[in-house]
């Protein structure tokens, strides 16, 4: 049985999408002859927590921890609210930023490269170098963001002859919020330098999207596998469909995820269609930026809004399955066309129709079309979007609204683990 060390920042009780991917891989590894050992920070500052996820971690899994210094704790002395929103990735528009927010962003972007967890790198590499030798580890996996975790792998690779897989849940220098960190020219170059060092010293790269693979192929000749996020079989009792026409977004709505045309379309429908006005609810679950809430209110939708805030993963799944339509929104920039959020696959398995909005040529468009799970629109496609919403609403009134999803089995967490194991099995062939 191969012994594999996973180095990750996010682990239960961390909440949010960052923890799900490797929580599930670890869950299924032993079924495929892999013994996982998980290395995590002892005292992290997670922006979101979900205690319910702790129950998904098997007692048979070896977990080792080392302390981490978290600068966000110091930032909270200046502004607890601003530091927490920044750590969640919620960055308000430039013209609305306070002096404190601008200062925190500048410090975060230029003093903490690649990110604020950089102080975990050296002590972790020192501790793990000894641990790996004593525990007879066959391979290590680093997963980011935070991308400082990959620097632990880079340090270990320099000193130990072992197989290293770097898993990128999101890209590095082209991630959506990078241009909002007020980076100096020197800081931008430092990010690119570190990114290249990781991409060229690793043995194998795994990424979650096709676009990220194309991007990395321009930097490295190392093998790259696309292993998307996926869905797991959830033990949740049957839920009833909402009696109202709920359009629900599950997850963070950052300032850039603000489809103002959609908000206007929904308001227009409440004015043009009395039945729509009686039954429509816009349901938001998760962290929502003030910019998005302001746009929704300015569009006239405040009376139709249910803003639930963050809920447990189990509760989020229940809401997905009871909603009439599931809304997926990605930032409208070329840099974000590579993002395939994990919730897309959970949406698919919920068997509720999807309404997705994002940038041109987005990878999510390809997957939605492939699985026939809904419709994708660019931000500019107003009339087409309105027609689809009316079509969904008509089916809802007839009691016939449901998804026509097909071919999603390959995106189950178990099948995706099989793909990851195929990469790990290369360790045996190269021994």
């Amino acid at each position: 049985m191969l012994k594999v060390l996973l180095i990750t920042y996010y682990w239960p009780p961390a909440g949010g999408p960052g923890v799900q991917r490797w929580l599930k891989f670890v869950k299924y590894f032993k079924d495929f002859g892999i013994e996982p050992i998980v290395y995590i920070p002892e005292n992290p500052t997670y922006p979101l927590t979900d205690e319910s996820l702790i129950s998904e971690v098997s007692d048979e899994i070896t977990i080792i921890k080392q302390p981490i210094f978290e600068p966000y704790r110091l930032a909270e002395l200046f502004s607890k609210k601003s530091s927490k929103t920044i750590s969640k990735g919620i960055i308000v528009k430039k013209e609305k930023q306070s002096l404190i927010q601008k200062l925190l962003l500048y410090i975060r972007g230029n003093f903490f490269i690649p990110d604020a967890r950089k102080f975990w790198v050296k002590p972790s590499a020192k501790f793990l170098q000894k641990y790996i030798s004593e525990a007879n580890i066959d391979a290590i996996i680093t997963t980011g963001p935070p991308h400082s975790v990959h620097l632990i792998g880079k340090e270990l690779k320099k000193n130990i002859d072992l197989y290293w897989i770097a898993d990128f849940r999101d890209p590095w220098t082209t991630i959506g919020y990078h241009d909002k960190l007020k980076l100096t020219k020197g800081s931008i170059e430092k990010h690119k330098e570190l990114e290249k060092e990781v991409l060229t010293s690793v043995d194998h790269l795994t990424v979650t999207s096709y676009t990220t693979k194309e991007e990395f192929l321009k930097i490295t000749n190392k093998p790259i596998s696309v292993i998307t996020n996926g869905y797991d079989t959830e033990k949740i009792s049957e839920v009833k469909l909402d009696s109202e026409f709920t359009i629900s977004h599950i997850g963070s709505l950052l300032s850039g995820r603000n489809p103002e045309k959609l908000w206007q379309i929904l308001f227009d429908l409440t004015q043009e269609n009395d039945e729509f006005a009686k039954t429509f609810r816009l349901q938001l679950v998760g962290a929502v930026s003030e910019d998005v809430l302001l746009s929704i209110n300015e569009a006239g939708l405040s009376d139709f809004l249910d803003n639930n805030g963050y809920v447990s993963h189990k509760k989020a799944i229940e809401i997905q399955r009871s909603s009439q339509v599931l809304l997926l929104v990605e930032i409208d920039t070329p840099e974000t066309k590579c993002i395939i959020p994990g919730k897309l696959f959970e949406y698919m398995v919920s068997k509720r129709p999807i309404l997705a909005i994002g940038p041109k040529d987005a990878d999510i468009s390809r997957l939605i079309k492939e699985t026939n799970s809904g419709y994708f629109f660019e931000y500019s496609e107003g009339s087409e979007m309105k027609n689809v919403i009316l079509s969904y609403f008509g089916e809802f009134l007839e009691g016939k609204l449901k998804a026509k999803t097909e071919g999603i089995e390959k995106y189950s967490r178990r099948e995706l683990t099989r793909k990851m194991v195929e990469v790990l099995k290369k360790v045996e062939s190269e021994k």
Side-chain angles (χ1 to χ4, degrees):
M1 183 174 281
L2 281 175
K3 292 181 75 173
V4 176
L5 175 68
L6 168 67
I7 305 171
T8 180
Y9 177 79
Y10 292 107
W11 192 253
V19 71
Q20 290 292 326
R21 179 172 173 84
W22 281 97
L23 177 62
K24 302 302 183 180
F25 281 141
V26 167
K27 174 182 176 180
Y28 290 111
F29 265 163
K30 286 202 172 182
D31 294 349
F32 296 96
I34 304 293
E35 181 184 343
I37 298 167
V38 183
Y39 176 73
I40 58 175
E42 187 173 56
N43 55 323
T45 301
Y46 292 137
L48 297 169
T49 57
D50 185 347
E51 299 290 337
S52 70
L53 295 179
I54 295 174
S55 64
E56 294 195 36
V57 181
S58 170
D59 293 336
E60 297 179 3
I61 302 297
T62 300
I63 297 176
I64 52 178
K65 304 177 182 181
Q66 283 289 291
I68 185 172
F69 168 66
E70 293 271 34
Y72 281 120
R73 294 193 183 102
L74 296 178
E76 287 180 4
L77 297 175
F78 295 94
S79 174
K80 188 170 184 178
K81 182 180 179 182
S82 293
S83 66
K84 278 198 171 294
T85 54
I86 291 172
S87 70
K88 292 177 184 177
I90 298 176
I91 301 174
V92 300
K93 291 180 179 178
K94 186 177 180 181
E95 59 271 18
K96 295 183 179 180
Q97 291 171 6
S98 67
L99 185 61
I100 285 290
Q101 287 171 325
K102 290 177 181 177
L103 178 63
L104 289 176
L105 284 170
Y106 181 83
I107 292 172
R108 156 66 180 88
N110 297 285
F111 287 81
F112 302 107
I113 298 174
D115 51 65
R117 277 83 193 205
K118 61 177 285 188
F119 298 102
W120 200 42
V121 176
K122 285 187 178 180
S124 293
K126 182 179 179 181
F127 169 79
L128 289 174
Q129 185 171 337
K130 182 181 179 183
Y131 180 87
I132 287 168
S133 299
E134 293 176 348
N136 296 316
I137 301 296
D138 295 299
I140 63 168
I141 300 169
T142 56
T143 179
H147 294 311
S148 56
V149 171
H150 296 310
L151 301 186
I152 300 173
K154 183 171 77 76
E155 288 300 308
L156 291 171
K157 184 69 175 177
K158 281 195 305 187
N159 299 307
I160 309 174
D161 181 22
L162 83 173
Y163 197 84
W164 171 30
I165 298 170
D167 176 63
F168 283 79
R169 302 189 312 276
D170 287 318
W172 188 328
T173 55
T174 58
I175 198 166
Y177 58 76
H178 228 244
D179 61 350
K180 297 180 177 64
L181 292 178
K182 306 185 187 301
L183 298 172
T184 64
K185 185 177 180 181
S187 296
I188 292 171
E189 290 305 312
K190 183 63 176 176
H191 273 286
K192 289 182 178 179
E193 178 186 326
L194 288 173
E195 177 186 49
K196 186 173 182 179
E197 287 177 6
V198 168
L199 296 186
T200 54
S201 58
V202 74
D203 292 293
H204 200 108
L205 288 155
T206 55
V207 296
T208 56
S209 79
Y210 312 101
T211 298
T212 302
K213 178 178 179 177
E214 292 171 10
E215 175 190 320
F216 284 176
L217 283 172
K218 296 173 184 176
I219 303 173
T220 183
N221 60 4
K222 295 300 174 97
I224 306 174
S225 298
V226 177
I227 303 179
T228 65
N229 289 310
Y231 69 89
D232 201 15
T233 304
E234 304 285 350
K235 295 179 180 178
I236 293 175
S237 56
E238 197 70 28
V239 296
K240 276 183 156 185
L241 277 176
D242 295 335
S243 57
E244 296 175 303
F245 183 63
T246 45
I247 298 180
S248 302
H249 182 277
I250 317 294
S252 299
L253 268 180
L254 312 179
S255 297
R257 293 179 186 149
N258 192 7
E260 294 179 352
K261 186 163 284 189
L262 171 64
W263 310 144
Q264 190 58 54
I265 287 170
L266 292 172
F267 176 73
D268 290 345
L269 287 171
T270 65
Q271 302 302 295
E272 298 165 4
N273 189 315
D274 289 341
E275 199 65 34
F276 190 91
K278 288 178 186 176
T279 59
F280 165 63
R281 301 301 300 174
L282 175 61
Q283 189 167 216
L284 306 182
V285 179
V288 184
S289 79
E290 292 177 4
D291 292 330
V292 173
L293 289 174
L294 181 61
S295 293
I296 291 171
N297 289 335
E298 288 178 345
L301 290 176
S302 55
D303 290 340
F304 303 91
L305 175 65
D306 292 331
N307 186 12
N308 295 290
Y310 185 75
V311 301
S312 70
H313 185 247
K314 180 180 178 182
K315 182 64 177 176
I317 296 295
E318 290 175 353
I319 293 172
Q320 282 169 197
R321 295 185 181 183
S322 64
S323 297
Q324 293 294 343
V325 177
L326 294 171
L327 176 63
L328 181 69
V329 182
E330 196 42 77
I331 299 170
D332 189 23
T333 64
E335 291 80 15
T336 55
K337 69 179 185 178
C338 66
I339 302 297
I340 306 176
K343 70 185 169 201
L344 172 61
F345 304 98
E346 292 185 346
Y347 277 15
M348 288 176 179
V349 79
S350 295
K351 299 294 178 72
R352 302 310 305 154
I354 297 171
L355 177 69
I357 302 169
K360 184 179 180 181
D361 299 325
D363 284 350
I364 55 176
S365 172
R366 167 177 171 174
L367 288 175
I368 288 171
K369 184 176 181 180
E370 172 195 306
T371 58
N372 195 34
S373 52
Y375 291 90
F376 172 86
F377 296 99
E378 295 175 30
Y379 275 69
S380 58
E381 296 180 286
S383 59
E384 298 93 333
M385 198 187 308
K386 186 175 184 179
N387 288 338
V388 165
I389 294 170
L390 278 171
S391 175
Y392 280 160
F393 182 63
E395 292 178 41
F396 159 75
L397 292 177
E398 295 174 3
K400 297 178 180 178
L401 180 58
K402 61 181 180 180
K404 302 174 179 67
T405 309
E406 56 191 18
I408 63 169
E409 294 78 13
K410 61 185 175 183
Y411 297 115
S412 73
R413 294 288 188 182
R414 184 180 178 83
E415 285 306 305
L416 292 167
T417 302
R418 191 190 303 276
K419 290 186 68 174
M420 186 63 72
V421 169
E422 287 173 6
V423 174
L424 283 165
K425 290 295 185 181
K426 296 178 187 295
V427 181
E428 289 181 319
S429 64
E430 294 180 15
K431 274 188 172 183

